[in-house]
Amino acid sequence: DAGVTQSPTHLIKTRGQQVTLRCSPKSGHDTVSWYQQALGQGPQFIFQYYEEEERQRGNFPDRFSGHQFPNYSSELNVNALLLGDSALYLCASSLVPAVGTEAFFGQGTRLTVV
Amino acid sequence: AQSVTQLGSHVSVSEGALVLLRCNYSSSVPPYLFWYVQYPNQGLQLLLKYTTGATLVKGINGFEAEFKKSETSFHLTKPSAHMSDAAEYFCAVTPGETSGSRLTFGEGTQLTVNP
């Protein structure tokens, strides 16, 4: 059973560019959450998708947007990249957005903005 | 709002010694609490979680944690450290029944195990 898979694993972008990160949830899971983990910090919640809609959002600007597809996979888009967007982006999947449900994390995408 | 404070960004123990990683939380509603481990260049793996019921929770790899409401704490322990326990550990909280599994993480504690 494949777990949560993210692509690409590493990415280098220039300031001002746009980037798309992809996530396939664990088989059977229908909810996808995205987190940003800056170097030396804990992950910070960006947003969560369920039934192809954004259900919750953390304190991130509108430059961060997402999408969930009918097969439950998800994309994270970041526009007008800033140096401060350099981080590990983690995708987590779970079965329905229920409290206490275990979230399974992917290995992340390391984004470097130069 | 919820928050998590992990006391000690770095903890160093000898192999075979007790591991104690501290976590204090703040929550306006009864919290659900989690401990995750992160190995280098990997994602997060759930060690254990507390939702309701028994306050002493046992997890994988010999770890356990005790929910103490009066102290707003959820410290992680392991009786005997192993070299393979070296990793970064994160405590996380969700605001009980009012959330859809949105996690608020602490800053993390890097555990070093010395031979």
Side-chain angles (χ1 to χ4, degrees), chain A residues 35 37 40-43 45 48 56-58 88 90 94 97-103 105-107, chain B residues 32 34 36 38 41-44 46 49 51 90 94 96-103 105-107:
Chain A
Y35 291 83
Q37 186 179 15
Q41 309 271 327
F45 177 81
Q48 182 182 83
Q56 295 192 69
R57 188 178 183 91
L88 180 68
L90 294 165
S94 56
V99 180
T101 301
E102 178 177 352
F105 284 81
Q107 294 201 344
Chain B
Y32 288 0
F34 305 78
Y36 282 86
Q38 186 176 36
N41 301 314
Q42 293 194 23
L44 303 175
L46 181 68
K49 66 179 181 182
T51 54
F90 293 95
T94 64
E97 296 181 359
T98 62
S99 170
S101 72
R102 166 181 178 167
L103 294 163
F105 287 88
E107 296 286 294

Side-chain angles (χ1 to χ4, degrees), chain B residues 4-63:
Chain B
V4 172
T5 301
Q6 292 184 238
L7 300 176
S9 57
H10 291 84
V11 170
S12 182
V13 301
S14 298
E15 192 173 18
L18 171 71
V19 175
L20 171 61
L21 305 182
R22 300 178 187 274
C23 172
N24 287 89
Y25 69 90
S26 172
S27 179
S28 55
V29 297
Y32 288 0
L33 295 156
F34 305 78
W35 274 99
Y36 282 86
V37 62
Q38 186 176 36
Y39 297 99
N41 301 314
Q42 293 194 23
L44 303 175
Q45 180 183 12
L46 181 68
L47 281 176
L48 49 79
K49 66 179 181 182
Y50 167 79
T51 54
T52 58
T55 57
L56 182 62
V57 180
K58 295 186 184 299
I60 62 172
N61 302 338
F63 285 94

